[in-house]
Amino acid sequence: MTNASAPQRLRGVLSPVVTPFKADLSPDAARFVRHCKWLLANGCAGLAVFGTNSEANSLSAEERMVLLEELVQAGVPAAKLVPGTGCCALTDTVRLSAHATALGCAGVLMLPPFYYKGVSDEGVYRSFAETIERVGDARLAVYLYHIPPVSQVPVSFAVIERLLDRYPGSVAGIKDSSGDWANTQALNERFGARGFDVFAGSETFLLRNMHAGGAGCITAGANVNPGPIDRLFRNWQAPDAEAQQAAIDAVRAALQKFPMIAALKATVAHYAGDPDWRTVRPPLVELTPAQESELFAALQALGFDMPGIRA
Amino acid sequence: MTNASAPQRLRGVLSPVVTPFKADLSPDAARFVRHCKWLLANGCAGLAVFGTNSEANSLSAEERMVLLEELVQAGVPAAKLVPGTGCCALTDTVRLSAHATALGCAGVLMLPPFYYKGVSDEGVYRSFAETIERVGDARLAVYLYHIPPVSQVPVSFAVIERLLDRYPGSVAGIKDSSGDWANTQALNERFGARGFDVFAGSETFLLRNMHAGGAGCITAGANVNPGPIDRLFRNWQAPDAEAQQAAIDAVRAALQKFPMIAALKATVAHYAGDPDWRTVRPPLVELTPAQESELFAALQALGFDMPGIRA
């Protein structure tokens, strides 16, 4: 264990940043840096780069490490970064987590291994515990990533309890993308008092999560709508909080009518005037022109904008 | 495209070889080589190393490449190897597939990208097509890997049709681990005449697959029971074929009462007299002593043996 102290905890709105690709499908570091800086200047308290909406699992471990270094070298503060590091292979997860921690990242967002289905709590616990032991760095701050609709492997309360008992300084919180508010609420009730920061996995739960004592949200929608989501985070006790929530929900609903990642990239492309942003890696596909038209019309009808995104 | 010709097609029984680990969870090349050689000497026509039962997705790309090279250097013929190469990231899949093909492997067993769920046929097609294009080697022989119970991402008939139309020389066949005989039968009927080799994903379908014109099976059970499975492959028209099938089914059923990979490793450990074989990587866990006792008693009652496995 190195003895350097843990980084400062982030609260607020974090974006799982969409990853731009060039025409040859290689990551486009220049666009990535530009979008990360725009997000931090427009409401994001931090960036959960390499999340589900970042197509992180469509990148090799090397590609992720190179991109992370490029971000930091370009002046994006590591203290604002919570990169996704959970892979199917223990050795990859350890390598990415150690790398991010050594760079000074605020934390790491860690999926459980997700190839095998129906695995036991014991196996999921061992995956996280072995990773924490192998990284062996007191600065490591793990945010567990619970997203059963995609990973199909949940992070159970029993696993969280065991991890908090054994590694209280290393397990910092969770991103709950279950889509089940009852689960998010129960996480706050059961673990909130232990310094375990609960982030809702969608802005649609932000107001409820703040009432429940949560730390904010880590949400795809923050890629395009960070300002209004952050405004609600900072003003959740304001009289118009419900109206703010309804307004950000409407934008989310417009996006969610389509495959989310392609819709987010199309939206960035459109508002930035930069069509190359639409590129996705297989197995994802871009929106069709008809889908794009429908999406942009819906967003316009909502008065949606991305101020300052045009380079 | 390099112009070297495609390797000779394998038929018969292929084993997705279990991967041994040392106490520190690193791959154990010496045990791996020994088991691979035992399998080839005892009925396996080929080795689908790095399959689901190999914990392949619990290995990094580098770990797989190193192990594959160690196998070949140790005298396991590349022409007998069909390593699994399908990862979530296109770049990893391309790298592993190109590496295996350059080593002279008989083929590669390719999962579709499996992190994102509910992806379109277009996206799955692009994943395979882009990989074939990027490998750009006429020796590449792709065996598609259809295992929806685990990957959750199927390889549909529409995708196969498109791939066979576009890359007839590169798409060699499929391992059907759907567990659905109707699917395996339909694959033979629809694509068998186009030189598309259909391997059942379990020995329990071997006799039916041979009657349907299939090429054999690629099956976990072949890790421990290769002789009897191969005997049925070679004698599927014999009068006692049904009885042979019933006997290998009974062994499979005994194993399947437990988590399959841990059960296979426990069985190898027991019959080889080599307890270190039991080690699995998280998120898997070893069988308990009680589970082991029950398994070994069941196998013994069936007259099961692994002749010559003891070093």
Side-chain angles (χ1 to χ4, degrees):
Chain A
M1 279 277 174
T2 57
N3 280 315
S5 60
Q8 192 165 4
R9 294 283 184 89
L10 294 172
R11 289 177 61 81
V13 179
L14 277 67
S15 173
V17 186
V18 286
T19 306
F21 296 113
K22 299 177 188 170
D24 69 358
L25 302 181
S26 64
D28 185 335
R31 277 191 177 79
F32 190 50
V33 167
R34 204 154 61 229
H35 192 53
C36 285
K37 289 184 173 175
W38 181 82
L39 291 168
L40 288 174
N42 286 274
C44 284
L47 303 174
V49 295
F50 313 139
T52 298
N53 286 281
S54 314
E55 298 171 78
N57 289 304
S58 300
L59 300 171
S60 71
E62 291 74 15
E63 287 173 326
R64 295 198 210 190
M65 290 192 288
V66 168
L67 268 180
L68 190 63
E69 289 170 20
E70 286 178 315
L71 270 191
V72 172
Q73 281 158 14
V76 175
K80 300 283 188 191
L81 296 174
V82 184
T85 60
C87 302
C88 291
L90 174 71
T91 37
D92 283 331
T93 303
V94 169
R95 189 174 169 209
L96 291 180
S97 300
H99 175 257
T101 304
L103 273 177
C105 289
V108 298
L109 182 59
M110 200 178 289
L111 282 167
F114 53 83
Y115 183 65
Y116 296 103
K117 308 305 186 290
V119 295
S120 64
D121 271 359
E122 173 67 22
V124 174
Y125 172 79
R126 285 190 199 177
S127 299
F128 288 123
E130 189 72 26
T131 300
I132 292 168
E133 296 279 356
R134 289 182 182 222
V135 171
D137 189 325
R139 295 170 297 178
L140 174 66
V142 175
Y143 293 87
L144 304 167
Y145 192 0
H146 178 60
I147 183 169
V150 183
S151 67
Q152 307 278 324
V153 178
V155 181
S156 74
F157 282 34
V159 166
I160 297 169
E161 184 92 54
R162 244 180 113 181
L163 287 169
L164 278 174
D165 287 347
R166 181 70 185 81
Y167 305 104
S170 301
V171 178
I174 195 164
K175 170 171 167 31
D176 181 6
S177 296
S178 63
D180 172 9
W181 168 248
N183 192 69
T184 313
Q185 186 170 37
L187 285 167
N188 277 298
E189 286 168 2
R190 180 142 163 198
F191 302 114
R194 299 177 70 174
F196 184 77
D197 290 337
V198 178
F199 288 88
S202 165
E203 66 269 40
T204 57
F205 299 115
L206 178 56
L207 184 52
R208 278 181 277 182
N209 195 38
M210 297 315 295
H211 279 286
C217 60
I218 303 177
T219 178
N223 268 289
V224 296
N225 202 25
I229 303 173
D230 175 58
R231 202 169 309 125
L232 175 57
F233 169 74
R234 284 183 291 101
N235 299 285
W236 64 273
Q237 292 170 304
D240 72 338
E242 294 283 0
Q244 287 189 53
Q245 180 71 64
I248 63 177
D249 286 355
V251 171
R252 172 90 187 197
L255 291 160
Q256 272 191 172
K257 278 191 68 179
F258 305 96
M260 191 65 173
I261 299 169
L264 292 170
K265 286 186 149 182
T267 303
V268 176
H270 181 69
Y271 285 87
D274 184 358
D276 290 351
W277 253 109
R278 290 179 297 189
T279 309
V280 292
R281 271 193 180 180
L284 303 186
V285 297
E286 301 78 19
L287 298 193
T288 64
Q291 288 177 314
E292 287 197 357
S293 299
E294 189 186 338
L295 170 60
F296 302 152
L299 290 173
Q300 195 175 8
L302 294 168
F304 172 83
D305 198 11
M306 296 179 70
I309 191 73
R310 199 168 277 266
Chain B
M1 280 276 173
T2 56
N3 280 315
S5 60
Q8 192 166 2
R9 294 284 185 88
L10 293 173
R11 290 177 61 82
V13 179
L14 277 68
S15 171
V17 186
V18 286
T19 307
F21 297 113
K22 299 178 187 171
D24 68 358
L25 302 182
S26 63
D28 185 335
R31 276 192 176 78
F32 190 50
V33 167
R34 204 154 58 228
H35 193 52
C36 285
K37 289 184 174 176
W38 181 82
L39 290 168
L40 289 175
N42 285 275
C44 284
L47 304 174
V49 295
F50 313 140
T52 297
N53 285 283
S54 316
E55 298 171 78
N57 288 303
S58 300
L59 301 171
S60 71
E62 291 74 14
E63 287 173 326
R64 295 197 209 190
M65 289 191 291
V66 168
L67 268 180
L68 190 63
E69 289 171 19
E70 286 179 316
L71 270 192
V72 173
Q73 281 158 16
V76 175
K80 300 283 188 189
L81 297 173
V82 184
T85 61
C87 302
C88 291
L90 173 71
T91 37
D92 283 332
T93 303
V94 169
R95 189 175 170 211
L96 292 180
S97 300
H99 175 258
T101 304
L103 273 177
C105 290
V108 299
L109 182 60
M110 201 179 289
L111 282 166
F114 53 83
Y115 183 64
Y116 295 103
K117 308 306 188 290
V119 295
S120 63
D121 272 358
E122 173 67 23
V124 173
Y125 172 79
R126 285 191 198 177
S127 298
F128 288 122
E130 189 71 26
T131 299
I132 293 167
E133 296 280 354
R134 290 183 181 221
V135 171
D137 189 325
R139 294 170 295 177
L140 175 65
V142 175
Y143 293 87
L144 304 167
Y145 191 3
H146 179 59
I147 182 169
V150 182
S151 67
Q152 308 276 324
V153 177
V155 181
S156 74
F157 283 33
V159 166
I160 297 168
E161 184 92 53
R162 247 181 109 180
L163 287 169
L164 277 174
D165 287 347
R166 180 72 185 80
Y167 306 103
S170 301
V171 177
I174 195 163
K175 170 172 168 26
D176 182 5
S177 298
S178 64
D180 173 10
W181 167 247
N183 193 70
T184 311
Q185 186 171 36
L187 284 166
N188 277 298
E189 286 167 4
R190 182 145 162 195
F191 302 115
R194 298 177 69 176
F196 184 77
D197 291 335
V198 177
F199 288 88
S202 166
E203 67 269 39
T204 56
F205 299 114
L206 178 56
L207 183 53
R208 279 180 277 182
N209 196 37
M210 297 315 295
H211 278 285
C217 61
I218 304 177
T219 179
N223 267 289
V224 296
N225 202 25
I229 304 174
D230 175 57
R231 203 167 309 128
L232 175 57
F233 169 74
R234 286 183 290 103
N235 298 284
W236 64 273
Q237 291 169 305
D240 71 338
E242 294 283 358
Q244 287 189 52
Q245 180 71 64
I248 64 178
D249 286 355
V251 171
R252 172 89 185 197
L255 291 161
Q256 272 193 172
K257 278 191 68 179
F258 305 96
M260 191 64 174
I261 298 169
L264 292 170
K265 287 186 148 181
T267 302
V268 176
H270 181 68
Y271 285 87
D274 184 356
D276 290 351
W277 252 109
R278 290 179 297 189
T279 308
V280 292
R281 272 195 179 178
L284 303 187
V285 297
E286 301 78 18
L287 297 193
T288 63
Q291 289 176 315
E292 287 197 356
S293 299
E294 190 185 338
L295 170 61
F296 302 151
L299 291 173
Q300 193 173 6
L302 294 168
F304 173 83
D305 197 11
M306 295 179 71
I309 192 71
R310 198 169 279 264

